[in-house]
Amino acid sequence: MPPIKRTKFRLTSEQLLEMFYWLKLMRAFDLRLSTLVKQGKVRSGVYTGIGQEAIIVGTCFGLRGEDFICPLHRDLGSFLMKGVDARTMMSQMFAKTTGLSKGRDSALHSGVSELGIFGNTSMLGANLPVAAGLALTFKMEKVDSVVVAYFGEGASNVGDFHEALNFAGVQQLPVIFVCENNQYAYSVPLEKSMAIDDVADRAHGYGFDGVAINGNDVLAVYQATLGALARARAGDGPTLIECKTYRWHGHSEHDKAFYRTDEELAMWKSKDPITTFTTYLRTRTILDDAKAKEIEARIKTTIDEAVEYAMNAPDPDPSEAASDLYA
Ligand SMILES: Cc1ncc(C[n+]2csc(CCOP(=O)(O)OP(=O)(O)O)c2C)c(N)n1
């Protein structure tokens, strides 16, 4: 299997600003949710991806509508990028009828097949064989769509992960396995759950390439994804992209994360993917104060409206609890 190529790409200023917009929107969405949890206004468990935004933006930016994503608990931003309206997403978090699962589910397990979003289940790693199955469908139907499946480094220690990678490697499936390596699986640090440094190395055991990259660099993530997408669309099989990153908040909003040091958090905050990308844009004069203000105002309006909409939306009616069930 040839190693993944360093794909050349050129993005226009508008596209780079669009990436900036998504990064900032995701951060703002998660930060607002975090506040709403503290105010006791959100009914769902909230697992923010603050600090990890570059992974979602870099992997989703080059996707087509027909491509599928299999997001995780921390990946609410991927729903937004795939086309879910912020009001619907916020309603989902408030368990309202206007949410994706109409208030009958915790926030994390919804999907939208028309938008190419496959709903995750609680079992870590269990989304990966499903992603491989989805990719098998694409292969059998001879379409060049791709599946992007997200997982944490913790999930890469469960059997489902290994079965999915093995099957994808044997069948040469159009799937990209994206590891969001944020250093901790709940309170368990990497070195207590893995005897190797890079999750990416695990792909080699299944006959395809794995790359470990800086997950806080949105352009590096985008570049690696482009290479993996090209390979998958050409019928050359899967790729594992391990994105090294860090989650700024606890595992969920109720976790104070006492198992890590302030120094460690400060070190990773100094590698903030948004600050880094902002500097990149400003030094190239793609972003200035006026543009930044305009984007921030647009995001604030979007989030304010989404919260307002969700809070005022109707609660689900108990009589409808069993509708839309398969069995
Ligand atoms: C099979 C399984 N074991 C344990 C859990 C409980 N659990 C939920 S999230 C989590 C930590 C996940 O860590 P990781 O896979 O690295 O993803 P992260 O939360 O860091 O993004 C655990 C242990 C679960 N949901 N499924």
Side-chain angles (χ1 to χ4, degrees):
M1 173 66 57
I4 185 169
K5 285 196 196 107
R6 283 185 69 79
T7 312
K8 286 200 179 121
F9 66 93
R10 200 175 171 77
L11 291 170
T12 62
S13 297
E14 285 68 33
Q15 288 173 310
L16 290 165
L17 286 173
E18 205 193 324
M19 278 186 164
F20 178 73
Y21 165 81
W22 287 118
L23 288 167
K24 298 279 282 187
L25 179 71
M26 283 176 205
R27 174 76 53 96
F29 195 93
D30 273 357
L31 281 174
R32 184 68 68 89
L33 268 179
S34 177
T35 304
L36 290 163
V37 170
K38 291 183 186 98
Q39 293 171 343
K41 291 185 178 154
V42 173
R43 295 173 189 177
S44 164
V46 169
Y47 304 76
T48 68
I50 297 168
Q52 305 185 192
E53 297 89 348
I55 301 172
I56 299 303
V57 177
T59 50
C60 287
F61 200 77
L63 297 186
R64 300 175 184 162
E66 317 81 78
D67 295 326
F68 257 77
I69 56 169
C70 300
L72 275 184
H73 43 287
R74 247 171 256 300
D75 304 332
L76 297 181
S78 67
F79 285 75
L80 301 173
M81 277 192 85
K82 263 300 215 167
V84 178
D85 185 83
R87 291 179 305 172
T88 308
M89 210 56 220
M90 201 57 91
S91 300
Q92 176 70 10
M93 307 311 293
F94 277 82
K96 294 296 184 84
T97 48
T98 45
L100 294 171
S101 44
K102 303 178 193 164
R104 281 169 298 171
D105 178 19
S106 92
L108 311 170
H109 306 127
S110 54
V112 195
S113 48
E114 309 80 57
L115 293 176
I117 307 172
F118 198 93
N120 193 20
T121 64
S122 273
M123 295 309 291
L124 286 180
N127 64 329
L128 301 175
V130 176
L134 203 48
L136 179 64
T137 308
F138 289 154
K139 184 181 168 184
M140 290 168 73
E141 289 179 347
K142 297 189 170 41
V143 293
D144 68 350
S145 302
V146 177
V147 181
V148 178
Y150 300 93
F151 62 98
E153 79 292 343
S156 79
N157 298 316
V158 301
D160 278 349
F161 165 85
H162 295 274
E163 291 179 32
L165 265 71
N166 187 51
F167 187 70
V170 170
Q171 297 283 336
Q172 291 284 283
L173 299 178
V175 53
I176 307 175
F177 297 103
V178 178
C179 177
E180 301 183 65
N181 181 351
N182 59 17
Q183 317 300 322
Y184 289 89
Y186 209 128
S187 56
V188 180
L190 197 65
E191 63 276 10
K192 289 215 169 130
S193 66
M194 278 174 45
I196 54 173
D197 291 331
D198 296 326
V199 176
D201 288 347
R202 295 186 163 171
H204 305 147
Y206 300 110
F208 58 93
D209 206 29
V211 281
I213 60 167
N214 176 1
N216 282 10
D217 178 346
V218 68
L219 296 178
V221 178
Y222 178 66
Q223 184 178 42
T225 307
L226 279 187
L229 280 172
R231 187 148 87 177
R233 295 202 203 284
D236 291 333
T239 305
L240 192 165
I241 303 174
E242 178 190 1
C243 302
K244 310 269 193 195
T245 187
Y246 197 79
R247 64 165 155 73
W248 289 14
H249 284 201
H251 171 68
S252 64
E253 291 305 295
H254 60 255
D255 169 29
K256 303 256 182 300
F258 291 133
Y259 43 83
R260 64 187 189 186
T261 63
D262 291 344
E263 290 74 22
E264 183 180 275
L265 177 59
M267 188 275 283
W268 277 97
K269 280 192 171 178
S270 74
K271 301 177 184 199
D272 178 4
I274 301 187
T275 307
T276 313
F277 193 55
T278 304
T279 307
Y280 172 92
L281 295 176
R282 280 185 181 270
T283 48
R284 282 161 184 75
T285 62
I286 294 167
L287 184 72
D288 57 20
D289 286 347
K291 195 94 213 145
K293 258 194 184 156
E294 184 256 304
I295 291 172
E296 274 156 22
R298 190 148 48 98
I299 288 171
K300 187 175 178 315
T301 306
T302 303
I303 306 280
D304 285 349
E305 280 177 8
V307 175
E308 180 77 12
Y309 177 85
M311 285 182 79
N312 294 317
D315 283 319
D317 189 317
S319 68
E320 288 180 16
S323 57
D324 296 339
L325 290 183
Y326 281 105

